[in-house]
């Protein structure tokens, strides 16, 4: 009998085909509506493999009810939507899609950085709303990117890809990780600094660390107060890393100059969220890796991880490697 799989959202056909060749596949195929949690829970009870999205919360209770679940393949590099400890306790493999999205996510990070620095969405609205009456020397002026200082919190795969772009813009590159990365220092001319120094010196503070207990609320009132009044915060990591109410206050009180956000504590961000009222906040709907080519590749990688696990192999992108020693 073929193993059974549930896919929680419509994914590119090429990945569905890969899975159909070896598995019984059921897919939630409504493009705009996520699978209701009750249906997801029912499916998890019986399937061998779950192919899920970062927007699906896969919690301990769900996993405890699973009778056959061997693998959860997440279509993302971040996996904070899955209770990894619970998965490991149940011997369920969890996989992600690292690496293949580095360049697309770095492109988006840099686009957001530039759009925020040079007020692109605001300027575009200005034209469309008929407010453009004449040219004026200080009209819609922003911050320089070329030659500025960028501080990357989380100099990992994507952080390094962002640093390569920053190098092309002649930027001074600072970074902060829990551990130093001498290879990145050598290749990119990046300087390792404490979080405090990074916040105090950077014109752009860019978040690219994973969302964990340690990085939850990493940027709150105290950290925002350490930043320069002309600095810009860019969050392409996960919403929970920034205290949004403190960010709102810092922006209103002009403690920092602007923010570019691809991610939010609650997604989709509620339309009445105070941050959406501020012109110096550029917002995106969590599209870091959303290039056509990258999303297709990610869907194939997630399918391949799923098949490896169901075929009794160690998946290429196993997250909870600790289960191998069990
Ligand atoms: P990665 O290669 O694992 O890099 C993460 C980096 O963060 C590592 O260098 C790590 O270094 C550092 N880090 C971990 N904990 C830290 C902490 N407490 N303080 C400071 N630095 C810390 O991951 P990646 O593939 O670059 O992806 C990074 C994150 O980006 C993902 O987890 C995901 O949430 C997010 N992402 C978002 C999008 C989007 O669409 N917006 C797309 C892709 C990825 P140390 O271990 O030395 O600390």
């Amino acid at each position: 009998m073929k193993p059974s799989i549930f896919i929680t959202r419509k994914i590119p056909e090429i990945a569905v085909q890969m899975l159909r060749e070896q598995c019984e596949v059921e897919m939630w195929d409504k493009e705009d509506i996520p699978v209701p949690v009750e249906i997801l829970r029912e499916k998890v009870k019986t399937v061998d493999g779950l192919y899920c999205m970062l927007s699906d919360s896969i919690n301990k209770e769900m996993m405890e009810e699973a009778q056959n679940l061997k693998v959860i393949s997440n279509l993302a590099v971040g996996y904070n939507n899955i209770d990894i400890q619970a998965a490991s306790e149940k011997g369920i493999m969890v996989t992600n899609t690292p690496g293949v999205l580095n360049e697309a996510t770095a492109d988006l990070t840099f686009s957001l950085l530039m759009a925020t620095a040079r007020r692109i969405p605001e300027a575009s609205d200005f034209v469309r709303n008929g407010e453009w009456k004449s040219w004026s020397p200080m009209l819609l002026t922003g911050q320089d990117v070329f030659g500025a200082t960028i501080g990357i919190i989380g100099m990992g795969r994507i952080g390094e890809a962002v640093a390569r772009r920053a190098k092309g813009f002649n930027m001074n590159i600072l970074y902060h990780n829990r551990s130093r990365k001498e290879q990145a220092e050598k290749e990119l001319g990046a300087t390792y600094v404490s979080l405090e120094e990074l916040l105090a010196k950077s014109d752009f503070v860019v978040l690219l660390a994973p969302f964990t207990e340690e990085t939850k609320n990493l940027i709150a009132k105290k950290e925002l107060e350490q930043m320069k009044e002309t600095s810009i915060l860019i969050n392409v990591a996960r919403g929970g890393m920034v205290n949004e109410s403190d960010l709102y206050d810092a922006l209103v009180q002009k403690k920092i100059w602007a923010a570019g956000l691809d991610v939010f504590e609650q997604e989709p961000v509620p339309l009445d969220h105070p941050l959406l009222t501020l012109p110096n906040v550029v917002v995106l709907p969590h599209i870091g890796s959303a290039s056509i080519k990258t999303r297709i590749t990610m869907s194939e990688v997630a399918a391949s991880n799923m098949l490896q696990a169901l075929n009794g192999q160690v998946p290429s992108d196993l997250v909870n490697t600790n289960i191998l020693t069990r």
Side-chain angles (χ1 to χ4, degrees):
M1 214 170 69
K2 285 180 173 179
S4 61
I5 293 178
F6 182 62
I7 309 174
T8 63
R9 206 66 186 250
K10 196 166 188 301
I11 59 167
E13 191 51 33
I14 188 163
V16 182
Q17 280 312 322
M18 280 171 72
L19 294 165
R20 280 204 206 283
E21 278 170 24
Q22 299 184 39
C23 310
E24 290 297 336
V25 177
E26 198 184 338
M27 180 165 71
W28 179 260
D29 60 0
K30 297 187 181 48
E31 297 248 13
D32 299 329
I33 315 164
V35 57
V37 69
E38 314 79 64
I39 297 183
L40 176 60
R41 206 175 172 141
E42 277 307 304
K43 297 294 174 195
V44 170
K45 276 186 193 166
T46 56
V47 290
D48 297 292
L50 178 69
Y51 187 119
C52 64
M53 314 294 129
L54 57 85
S55 44
D56 302 312
S57 172
I58 313 298
N59 58 30
K60 187 177 171 136
E61 288 140 32
M62 238 181 234
M63 286 186 250
E64 273 170 356
E65 288 173 4
Q67 289 149 28
N68 305 314
L69 194 62
K70 293 166 194 69
V71 51
I72 300 171
S73 177
N74 208 33
L75 184 73
V77 63
Y79 44 80
N80 50 288
N81 56 311
I82 302 168
D83 185 334
I84 299 293
Q85 199 188 331
S88 298
E89 279 164 14
K90 267 222 102 180
I92 300 167
M93 290 184 252
V94 177
T95 65
N96 65 344
T97 62
V100 294
L101 42 55
N102 294 351
E103 303 303 339
T105 309
D107 283 347
L108 189 280
T109 306
F110 225 81
S111 311
L112 183 55
L113 183 154
M114 296 199 70
T116 313
R118 296 299 300 273
R119 306 168 63 179
I120 304 292
E122 198 185 343
S124 178
D125 288 348
F126 184 82
V127 176
R128 287 172 195 275
N129 295 339
E131 293 169 66
W132 188 18
K133 305 293 182 207
S134 66
W135 187 91
S136 153
M138 295 308 282
L139 175 68
L140 286 162
T141 43
Q143 301 290 345
D144 282 315
V145 176
F146 191 87
T149 295
I150 186 171
I152 299 174
I153 302 176
M155 181 71 97
R157 290 169 293 236
I158 302 169
E160 282 191 35
V162 169
R164 283 199 296 279
R165 284 153 180 77
K167 204 175 170 200
F169 276 73
N170 203 25
M171 292 174 99
N172 174 30
I173 304 168
L174 308 178
Y175 79 99
H176 179 73
N177 276 5
R178 289 166 306 177
S179 52
R180 268 181 76 165
K181 270 191 126 176
E182 284 172 29
Q183 160 252 342
E185 293 177 23
K186 231 180 266 159
E187 284 171 17
L188 301 161
T191 307
Y192 182 80
V193 290
S194 66
L195 182 60
E196 292 69 27
E197 189 174 346
L198 183 146
L199 294 169
K201 290 191 173 162
S202 300
D203 299 306
F204 297 92
V205 172
V206 179
L207 297 182
L208 275 165
F211 183 45
T212 60
E213 273 308 312
E214 221 180 332
T215 61
K216 194 173 174 179
N217 262 321
L218 185 70
I219 303 297
K221 189 168 189 280
K222 176 172 140 242
E223 290 72 27
L224 290 159
E225 278 171 358
Q226 291 170 46
M227 288 170 64
K228 300 195 229 182
E229 284 179 6
T230 50
S231 70
I232 294 177
L233 178 73
I234 302 293
N235 189 5
V236 185
R238 287 292 183 264
M241 287 163 63
V242 175
N243 182 309
E244 289 177 353
S245 131
D246 290 353
L247 175 61
Y248 175 82
D249 290 345
L251 287 161
V252 169
Q253 293 161 14
K254 304 205 179 318
K255 296 208 163 126
I256 69 167
W257 198 76
L261 309 171
D262 183 42
V263 287
F264 297 86
E265 271 172 37
Q266 187 189 333
E267 295 182 3
V269 62
L271 263 185
D272 60 356
H273 195 297
L275 281 171
L276 300 190
T277 63
L278 302 179
N280 53 342
V281 177
V282 177
V283 291
L284 297 175
H286 202 148
I287 54 167
S289 62
S291 78
I292 297 166
K293 194 170 148 211
T294 296
R295 283 287 165 84
I296 290 174
T297 307
M298 285 167 67
S299 70
E300 291 172 307
V301 168
S304 165
N305 281 322
M306 168 74 78
L307 293 174
Q308 286 171 329
L310 293 175
N311 286 327
Q313 297 157 2
V314 177
S316 306
D317 304 306
L318 182 64
V319 169
N320 50 348
T321 47
N322 60 327
I323 69 167
L324 298 176
T325 51
R326 281 161 56 102

